[in-house]
Amino acid sequence: MIRKTIAVLFALALTAANCLAQESLPAIKEDFKPSTLNQPGQEYPQVNSQGYARFRIQAPLADSVRVSLGLGGRGGTILTKGEDGFWTGTTEGPMDEGFHYYNVKIDGGKFNDPGALNFYGSVRWESGIEIPAHDQDFYALKDVPHGKVEQILFPSKSTNTSRRAFVYTPPSYEKDKSKKYPVLYLQHGWGEDETAWSNQGRANLIMDNLIAEGKINPFIIVMTYGMTNEIKWGGIRDFKIDPFQTVLTEELIPYVDANFRTLANRDNRAMAGLSMGGMETRMITLNKPEIFGYYGLLSGGLYSPEDLKDKAKPKLVFLSCGSKERPDGVKKASTDLKAAGYNAVSYISENTAHEFQTWRRSLYQLAPLLFKN
Amino acid sequence: MIRKTIAVLFALALTAANCLAQESLPAIKEDFKPSTLNQPGQEYPQVNSQGYARFRIQAPLADSVRVSLGLGGRGGTILTKGEDGFWTGTTEGPMDEGFHYYNVKIDGGKFNDPGALNFYGSVRWESGIEIPAHDQDFYALKDVPHGKVEQILFPSKSTNTSRRAFVYTPPSYEKDKSKKYPVLYLQHGWGEDETAWSNQGRANLIMDNLIAEGKINPFIIVMTYGMTNEIKWGGIRDFKIDPFQTVLTEELIPYVDANFRTLANRDNRAMAGLSMGGMETRMITLNKPEIFGYYGLLSGGLYSPEDLKDKAKPKLVFLSCGSKERPDGVKKASTDLKAAGYNAVSYISENTAHEFQTWRRSLYQLAPLLFKN
């Protein structure tokens, strides 16, 4: 089953390269603006109102410059050199809404776009670009009370080091010092790290906005590094959950319960993850059903009624993916769970693939369902 | 005076490129190890026990690859291509201890080393490399209680946005909920941002270690973005302190005092900064002597007794720089201040230039002197 899950995850990950919105290509509108994820003062990369991306990179003596984003199977976007020594090019079609990782091949080496900010994915800091989405308001930085994202270093005997986690606390956390909060443990995907959910996922802003609108009961989110095994390409084939399960359940959770004002019990503790983080969530919640009361798999596998049989019953099972992934599998699993008497909810992100826009939206859908005891 | 200060800062910044430790070059020892600032799993760049750095970058079809680090005036380190398509090269001499920014010129374009982590400096995310220092223990990640680094988003009416700051709180902050703390406002240099002091500066680890050894009274550190003006090369020529002074003194400080357990008065509030952050510290403390009780300029200008005359007297003036900068100026300014009755302390970081090792050491020297009321 684990092997199968991994195979599915890899298949899903491969579809991510094919992130253009459609194959019939509209004429390009010349209303390009700098991506919101550019480095300060940088004009390129740019994005237009249709979702086309345009790149411009200086390398006057290079022989070839290619951006990894573009139509799947065509090897990305080939840039062409101008007389000024800048290479420019535009994707062959509009891209899906939301965040995309990319990199730049220059004369056969893999580098980043010097105009764009970097985001950790694929076991490297990649360039990132943001295609404005019709629903971007829910993760926008607004003039509302903001929670904090705290970097903590917690002791880990099992790995013999201090490990890093980020902890989101809601705006009210510093006001009423007697109030205790439920906690969501939220995991990144393969090749990412504990920075992913707040950087590319904007989890803190999603929470701030939901709380400001009164749509959720405020809770804490804890995000840590889930690739406790060796970090190598293909290393996931030998994935064993034990090292990370030990870090999470025996070291991080006790540390968080000791250092934050948490409601430290199963009914106030959730675990969710995207892609590989979903696989981890699935394995750990099934191994330790007494620890977590709410489960969320975002493009990260499924539960069957058989999986959950004879275990402490979860208060909620949340399953999601993009419409360009395998939505039928998610819907069917949810239906099967409901038929077996479980509180299961499925969510399909329209017109997105195995990428962060799917997971931003999934968190937005999941958060209001959590901790409704 | 401002114009003169800026000129001095630029002169200092230019010396930073010349960061090799000496001109007589010892034979290279073949004990190279990956830099501690490499991306996960990356073998290059490497550093040997003498402080030489070796680079290895894949770009099989490139015509020229050059790393910006190396002997000043010689344009850095030129890499040569092997049959495997990797370009390799070693600095012509040992580098100064500590952290260095760098980038890679590939066929005339400026990129980053895909093996190294990125750090924001020079108004771009640069590659970073760490030359192990004889005194690296004071900023090492150790098995001691760790404070937190919190990202806050504070409302700023003057710039019409939510602005980001990082706040270090000591390990004891979460224990005794009645205790209040002094605050150091700590500024980065030109082209850097609010991530610099905890990423390349390791300010949180310096504090954790000093506190664990009982060498300081714990305090809070607040780090925010100081380049409130337009971010352009040469923009500092038109530098006006007013926009940042407003953000700091009218927006950030009141926010911190309202949201953290601070001792909200002059004698428990310090300001310090490196390079341009020192220039800002100098201007703001002289404009607003009623707000700050302790001043620190790290490679960032000087105070004269004339500057401080007829103002609320600072409890401490701390001046520092690297021995490869202008140590005589720092020492003389400190002597002059002491002669005029001020509590002035100077510190010279041996064998370092206008770089972060100077500033890590300066913070380590400054912290025990603060808030000794």
Side-chain angles (χ1 to χ4, degrees):
Chain A
M1 184 59 210
I2 293 170
R3 194 161 284 229
K4 193 176 161 195
T5 308
I6 292 170
V8 169
L9 286 174
F10 269 77
L12 290 172
L14 288 173
T15 68
N18 187 359
C19 52
L20 294 180
Q22 54 194 77
E23 289 287 338
S24 65
L25 306 177
I28 298 177
K29 287 187 191 163
E30 287 300 330
D31 57 358
F32 286 88
K33 290 179 187 162
S35 159
T36 55
L37 300 184
N38 284 1
Q39 295 196 25
Q42 295 294 316
E43 287 294 311
Y44 285 85
Q46 296 193 341
V47 182
N48 81 353
S49 60
Q50 301 159 291
Y52 282 85
R54 180 168 287 171
F55 305 92
R56 178 174 161 86
I57 293 168
Q58 185 178 30
L61 305 176
D63 297 312
S64 74
V65 178
R66 204 174 68 196
V67 171
S68 63
L69 283 176
L71 287 173
R74 298 189 200 175
T77 301
I78 293 168
L79 308 191
T80 54
K81 185 161 73 170
E83 288 181 7
D84 57 1
F86 282 83
W87 294 73
T88 54
T90 305
T91 52
E92 288 176 275
M95 316 258 308
D96 285 347
E97 293 183 338
F99 174 85
H100 304 284
Y101 295 108
Y102 71 103
N103 55 61
V104 185
K105 270 273 176 69
I106 299 161
D107 285 356
K110 191 190 282 187
F111 300 93
N112 285 342
D113 185 338
L117 290 173
N118 300 148
F119 300 85
Y120 196 69
S122 308
V123 200
R124 72 185 295 274
W125 286 87
E126 295 255 84
S127 296
I129 192 170
E130 184 76 30
I131 309 296
H134 73 282
D135 56 349
Q136 64 189 345
D137 189 66
F138 79 83
Y139 51 87
L141 175 63
K142 297 187 203 174
D143 186 16
V144 299
H146 294 292
K148 297 191 291 193
V149 177
E150 311 185 2
Q151 174 188 292
I152 61 169
L153 296 167
F154 64 97
S156 165
K157 281 193 181 161
S158 72
T159 60
N160 196 30
T161 185
S162 292
R163 303 186 67 84
R164 186 170 72 166
F166 291 100
V167 180
Y168 170 82
T169 55
S172 57
Y173 189 82
E174 297 299 327
K175 304 297 178 193
D176 176 358
K177 303 281 180 158
S178 63
K179 187 169 160 56
K180 297 185 173 186
Y181 292 84
V183 184
L184 164 63
Y185 290 82
L186 186 60
Q187 289 305 124
H188 60 81
W190 183 86
E192 297 171 339
D193 69 8
E194 65 273 27
T195 62
W197 266 109
S198 35
N199 283 359
Q200 43 271 53
R202 303 175 78 96
N204 54 323
L205 300 180
I206 293 170
M207 292 291 289
D208 289 345
N209 291 336
L210 279 168
I211 291 167
E213 293 175 25
K215 290 183 176 168
I216 63 170
N217 293 326
F219 55 87
I220 292 169
I221 302 180
V222 178
M223 301 157 277
T224 197
Y225 185 58
M227 293 178 72
T228 314
N229 294 282
E230 279 294 294
I231 309 146
K232 288 176 182 165
W233 279 98
I236 202 170
R237 289 172 206 280
D238 304 315
F239 192 86
K240 288 187 181 64
I241 194 64
D242 310 62
F244 178 58
Q245 182 173 297
T246 300
V247 168
L248 180 70
T249 64
E250 297 175 26
E251 295 169 348
L252 179 57
I253 290 176
Y255 183 89
V256 168
D257 285 336
N259 288 278
F260 291 83
R261 299 195 315 274
T262 65
L263 292 162
N265 56 55
R266 177 182 185 272
D267 285 357
N268 287 289
R269 199 181 288 120
M271 183 173 182
L274 71 91
S275 194
M276 183 197 76
M279 183 186 80
E280 293 175 336
T281 298
R282 186 179 172 284
M283 295 166 89
I284 292 175
T285 52
L286 293 178
N287 287 343
K288 301 277 184 185
E290 72 281 8
I291 293 184
F292 300 97
Y294 296 77
Y295 311 168
L297 309 185
L298 321 182
S299 310
L302 308 169
Y303 294 96
S304 70
E306 191 67 20
D307 293 331
L308 302 173
K309 203 177 63 176
D310 302 330
K311 296 179 192 285
K313 198 171 182 177
K315 313 273 282 185
L316 171 74
V317 175
F318 179 89
L319 305 172
S320 75
C321 72
S323 68
K324 297 185 177 186
E325 299 190 88
R326 298 181 174 215
D328 292 345
V330 163
K331 287 180 205 162
K332 180 177 184 307
S334 170
T335 303
D336 291 350
L337 288 168
K338 273 186 267 195
Y342 293 95
N343 177 27
V345 173
S346 67
Y347 166 70
I348 309 301
S349 166
E350 285 308 316
N351 297 315
T352 62
H354 198 72
E355 299 205 66
F356 246 106
Q357 190 70 2
T358 301
W359 306 319
R360 291 170 175 168
R361 289 175 178 168
S362 295
L363 175 60
Y364 182 73
Q365 296 293 328
L366 169 61
L369 307 174
L370 292 177
F371 312 121
K372 300 281 190 194
N373 295 318
Chain B
M1 183 61 210
I2 292 171
R3 196 161 281 230
K4 194 176 160 193
T5 307
I6 291 169
V8 169
L9 286 174
F10 267 78
L12 290 171
L14 289 173
T15 69
N18 186 359
C19 53
L20 293 180
Q22 52 191 77
E23 289 287 340
S24 64
L25 306 176
I28 299 177
K29 287 187 192 163
E30 285 300 329
D31 58 356
F32 286 88
K33 289 177 188 163
S35 159
T36 55
L37 299 184
N38 284 1
Q39 295 196 24
Q42 293 294 316
E43 288 294 312
Y44 284 86
Q46 297 194 340
V47 183
N48 81 352
S49 60
Q50 300 160 292
Y52 283 86
R54 181 168 287 171
F55 304 92
R56 178 174 161 85
I57 293 168
Q58 186 178 29
L61 305 176
D63 297 311
S64 75
V65 178
R66 203 175 68 196
V67 171
S68 64
L69 282 177
L71 287 172
R74 298 191 198 174
T77 301
I78 295 169
L79 308 191
T80 55
K81 184 161 73 171
E83 288 182 6
D84 57 0
F86 283 84
W87 295 73
T88 55
T90 306
T91 53
E92 288 177 276
M95 316 257 308
D96 286 347
E97 294 183 337
F99 174 85
H100 304 284
Y101 295 108
Y102 71 102
N103 55 61
V104 185
K105 268 272 174 73
I106 299 161
D107 286 355
K110 190 191 283 187
F111 300 94
N112 285 342
D113 185 338
L117 291 173
N118 300 147
F119 300 86
Y120 196 68
S122 307
V123 200
R124 71 185 295 274
W125 285 88
E126 294 256 85
S127 297
I129 192 169
E130 184 75 32
I131 309 296
H134 73 282
D135 57 347
Q136 63 188 346
D137 189 65
F138 80 82
Y139 52 86
L141 175 63
K142 296 187 202 175
D143 186 17
V144 300
H146 294 292
K148 297 191 290 194
V149 178
E150 311 184 2
Q151 174 189 292
I152 60 169
L153 295 167
F154 65 97
S156 166
K157 280 193 183 162
S158 72
T159 60
N160 195 30
T161 183
S162 292
R163 304 186 67 83
R164 187 169 71 164
F166 291 100
V167 180
Y168 169 84
T169 56
S172 58
Y173 189 83
E174 296 299 326
K175 305 297 179 192
D176 176 358
K177 303 280 180 156
S178 62
K179 188 169 158 55
K180 296 184 174 184
Y181 293 83
V183 184
L184 165 63
Y185 290 83
L186 185 60
Q187 288 305 123
H188 59 82
W190 183 87
E192 298 172 339
D193 69 9
E194 65 273 27
T195 63
W197 266 110
S198 37
N199 283 359
Q200 44 270 53
R202 300 174 79 93
N204 55 324
L205 300 180
I206 293 170
M207 291 292 288
D208 290 345
N209 293 336
L210 279 168
I211 291 167
E213 292 175 24
K215 289 183 177 166
I216 63 170
N217 292 328
F219 55 85
I220 292 169
I221 302 181
V222 177
M223 300 157 278
T224 198
Y225 185 58
M227 293 178 71
T228 314
N229 292 283
E230 279 293 294
I231 309 146
K232 287 179 183 163
W233 281 97
I236 202 170
R237 289 173 207 281
D238 304 314
F239 192 86
K240 288 188 182 62
I241 195 63
D242 311 59
F244 178 59
Q245 180 172 298
T246 300
V247 168
L248 180 71
T249 64
E250 297 177 28
E251 296 169 346
L252 179 56
I253 291 177
Y255 183 90
V256 168
D257 285 337
N259 288 278
F260 291 84
R261 300 197 313 275
T262 65
L263 292 162
N265 57 56
R266 177 181 185 270
D267 285 356
N268 287 289
R269 200 181 289 119
M271 183 171 181
L274 72 90
S275 194
M276 183 197 75
M279 182 185 82
E280 294 174 335
T281 298
R282 185 179 173 282
M283 295 166 88
I284 292 174
T285 52
L286 293 178
N287 287 343
K288 300 276 184 183
E290 72 283 8
I291 294 185
F292 301 97
Y294 296 76
Y295 310 168
L297 309 184
L298 321 182
S299 309
L302 308 169
Y303 295 95
S304 69
E306 191 67 20
D307 292 332
L308 302 173
K309 205 178 60 176
D310 303 329
K311 295 179 194 284
K313 197 173 185 178
K315 311 275 284 186
L316 171 76
V317 175
F318 178 88
L319 304 172
S320 75
C321 72
S323 68
K324 298 185 175 186
E325 299 188 88
R326 300 181 173 213
D328 292 345
V330 164
K331 287 180 207 164
K332 180 176 184 308
S334 171
T335 304
D336 291 349
L337 288 168
K338 273 185 269 197
Y342 292 97
N343 177 28
V345 173
S346 67
Y347 166 70
I348 308 302
S349 166
E350 286 306 316
N351 297 314
T352 62
H354 198 72
E355 299 205 67
F356 245 105
Q357 191 69 1
T358 300
W359 306 319
R360 290 170 176 167
R361 289 175 178 168
S362 295
L363 176 60
Y364 182 71
Q365 297 293 328
L366 169 62
L369 306 176
L370 292 177
F371 312 121
K372 299 281 188 192
N373 295 319

